[in-house]
Amino acid sequence: MELWFSEMQSENIKMSYRIKNVLHTEKTKFQNLAVYETEEFGRMLVLDDVVQLTMKDEFVYHEMIAHVPLFTHGNPERVLIIGGGDGGTLREVLKHPVKEAHLVDIDEKVIEASKNFFPELNVAFKDPRAKVLCEDGIAYVKRFKNYYDVIIVDSTDPVGPAVGLFRSDFYRDIFNALTEKGIFVAQTESPFFYEGLIKEVYNCVSEIFPYTALYTAVVPTYPGALWTFVMGSKQVDPHKVDLPQECGFKTKYYSPKVHRACLQLPPFIKEIIKK
Ligand code: AG3
């Protein structure tokens, strides 16, 4: 029997993957979690029928959500990741000489699935600089003032448990939790399917932070493949940073040149974020 998994990428588009094996399914307190072995992309983590990562292309998203804000900051010591229980973003953050990297994911089952099925991502949790908490990131961030140098919001789509992670109150709390040179980044979906969301997040962030920048990366297993990230910065202009010649560790997508290039936006995306 042929086994396929399909994600509804929009109301009218389904992306289907041929599956070798269903490795795990469970209903957590927050969402349905599944791990599939796909033919084309290797292991895949799925939450509420939405692809979160695959072994073949996870490096793009995780490198870009981590290295762009960290190199924009220049010398971050304390980093917070909200969401990202799979550990992929944490692994990339720990390539930098940071002192503390904290991860707060609401769903401990995602962390557990990472331990059982994604050892390549899970390595990060063993680093002594990493601290993992299973709680609501929205409540967590409210308790900090002037503490984190970089805050990364590695969330699911803006439905279900993640809706609050796309709201302006949350961005204000993030602003307060950041140090004076602090930088924040959030994944903001595809410009082909989530134009409204990108516009809203960009405007919200630019009302709170002195500098806002949008950048892109190509993630083949996310809807539209072309993905966006919105960065808010308190002091450093993300378009005018001095980047090192080399990043100093191994990457597969990120490089200082790609960093500069990803901030150059095609006209149709500029149009989306135009005031
Ligand atoms: N978080 C962003 C996933 C968004 C994917 N959206 C979709 N497939 N419709 C990824 C978590 C990986 N750390």
Side-chain angles (χ1 to χ4, degrees), residues 7 50-53 61-62 84 86 89 154-155 157 187 189 221-223 227:
E7 172 178 340
V50 172
V51 176
Q52 299 302 311
L53 65 91
Y61 175 90
H62 291 134
D86 51 82
T89 301
D154 181 6
S155 70
D157 289 359
Q187 73 88 3
E189 310 284 323
T221 54
Y222 290 169
W227 211 248

Side-chain angles (χ1 to χ4, degrees), residues 64-248:
M64 292 301 278
I65 203 169
H67 303 317
V68 175
L70 268 74
F71 277 115
T72 300
H73 183 283
N75 55 345
E77 295 190 344
R78 295 177 182 147
V79 179
L80 171 66
I81 300 161
I82 294 175
D86 51 82
T89 301
L90 184 64
R91 180 195 62 204
E92 296 306 315
V93 165
L94 291 167
K95 289 180 179 172
H96 295 253
V98 298
K99 292 202 171 126
E100 301 172 25
H102 299 161
L103 183 144
V104 179
D105 197 301
I106 199 165
D107 196 342
E108 59 184 339
K109 297 294 181 190
V110 176
I111 299 168
E112 202 176 297
S114 161
K115 286 199 179 113
N116 296 333
F117 301 100
F118 298 95
E120 301 85 342
L121 305 179
N122 199 252
V123 283
F125 293 109
K126 297 184 183 82
D127 190 296
R129 295 169 294 161
K131 190 164 107 195
V132 178
L133 290 130
C134 294
E135 63 168 280
D136 181 5
I138 298 174
Y140 178 88
V141 90
K142 282 190 201 298
R143 302 204 294 271
F144 291 85
K145 296 277 167 292
N146 193 26
Y147 188 81
Y148 290 106
D149 298 313
V150 176
I151 298 181
I152 300 175
V153 183
D154 181 6
S155 70
T156 49
D157 289 359
V159 281
V163 222
L165 301 178
F166 292 87
R167 290 209 182 110
S168 98
D169 295 357
F170 175 58
Y171 301 144
R172 254 175 232 288
D173 292 338
I174 286 189
F175 182 90
N176 294 328
L178 285 168
T179 48
E180 57 176 357
K181 203 181 142 195
I183 312 256
F184 140 79
V185 71
Q187 73 88 3
T188 45
E189 310 284 323
S190 152
F192 289 103
F193 301 119
Y194 275 92
E195 201 182 310
L197 176 100
I198 296 174
K199 200 195 251 324
E200 209 180 298
V201 172
Y202 189 91
N203 286 340
C204 251
V205 173
S206 48
E207 274 165 24
I208 301 169
F209 286 81
Y211 298 99
T212 313
L214 186 141
Y215 63 93
T216 62
V218 171
V219 186
T221 54
Y222 290 169
L226 183 62
W227 211 248
T228 65
F229 302 84
V230 171
M231 198 159 43
S233 170
K234 283 175 128 173
Q235 206 179 77
V236 184
D237 180 348
H239 292 99
K240 294 191 187 131
V241 280
D242 274 329
L243 296 170
Q245 281 291 100
E246 304 284 339
C247 63

